[in-house]
Amino acid sequence: GAGVSQSPSNKVTEKGKDVELRCDPISGHTALYWYRQSLGQGLEFLIYFQGNSAPDKSGLPSDRFSAERTGGSVSTLTIQRTQQEDSAVYLCASSLRVVDGGYTFGSGTRLTVV
Amino acid sequence: QQQVKQSPQSLIVQKGGISIINCAYENTAFDYFPWYQQFPGKGPALLIAIRPDVSEKKEGRFTISFNKSAKQFSLHIMDSQPGDSATYFCAASIENYGGSQGNLIFGKGTKLSVKP
């Protein structure tokens, strides 16, 4: 596609439920990133996939968070047993190379845990 | 440990004025410094970026100034317009072997309001 697509755009879930957030990167982009943006805060790095290499999971805040990337394309971020502090906008980005313009972000999924 | 510190947190500028946002970094291995612009309800969009081999880069009304020895870089928006009102993020990363981009470390953002 022309841009990074994220779904759903909004998600309201009850505390304790599991949620899955989806990201479709730009075709051909080898790198995919997940960030979390809380209200009025900056972007917090979560996880990074680069080609066939093992993902960099160093930013995941707890073992309730996990992500996978299938076939080097679509990625799913899963949050198990959601907590109210998980409420945030989850942003996905993809990139090819720095010289090609860096990251392209999707519009995000706004997650609200009630 | 916050690796990229951004200031100010918010900024109000009159139309036609100059907006200046500053960032400081700690990791001397960083070699790519972009600025992103974010409008409400949208993801951040790349505005302009610089590498440490140059001290300044200009694209239209937007200029990045880079001071390697001070580990600081700044965004200047000349002739600021109401349409520039947005949140601006500085960031830094290390380019991986082969030219792929490592994960960006972002500042906390500056909310810019340009008054007509």
Side-chain angles (χ1 to χ4, degrees), chain A residues 9-94:
Chain A
S9 55
N10 282 284
K11 176 72 175 179
V12 180
T13 189
E14 293 181 350
K15 178 181 174 181
K17 300 283 189 182
D18 298 352
V19 294
E20 286 188 353
L21 312 180
R22 177 186 169 102
C23 173
D24 282 277
I26 292 174
S27 178
H29 277 194
T30 57
L32 186 147
Y33 315 80
W34 283 97
Y35 283 80
R36 178 168 70 176
Q37 185 173 27
S38 301
L39 186 63
Q41 297 298 309
L43 285 78
E44 175 189 6
F45 167 72
L46 297 177
I47 189 169
Y48 159 44
F49 297 88
Q50 172 60 55
N52 296 321
S53 303
D56 176 354
K57 304 179 182 179
S58 60
L60 294 178
S62 77
D63 58 8
R64 295 187 296 105
F65 288 73
S66 63
E68 63 177 18
R69 187 178 185 191
T70 54
S73 181
V74 172
S75 177
T76 302
L77 177 68
T78 301
I79 308 174
Q80 296 179 310
R81 305 182 302 281
T82 52
Q83 304 295 313
Q84 288 186 331
E85 60 263 29
D86 299 334
S87 297
V89 175
Y90 289 82
L91 290 162
C92 174
S94 68

Side-chain angles (χ1 to χ4, degrees), chain A residues 33 35 37 41-43 45 48 50 56 91 95-99 101-103 105-107, chain B residues 32 36 38 41-44 46 51 89 95-96 98-104 106-108:
Chain A
Y33 315 80
Y35 283 80
Q37 185 173 27
Q41 297 298 309
L43 285 78
F45 167 72
Y48 159 44
Q50 172 60 55
D56 176 354
L91 290 162
S95 75
L96 183 56
R97 288 184 296 273
V98 172
V99 295
Y103 286 21
F105 279 90
S107 293
Chain B
Y32 177 68
Y36 281 79
Q38 185 178 31
K42 300 294 185 182
L46 179 66
R51 292 182 172 278
F89 293 95
E95 185 177 29
N96 292 330
S100 63
Q101 185 170 11
N103 62 289
L104 283 168
F106 285 85
K108 290 190 178 296

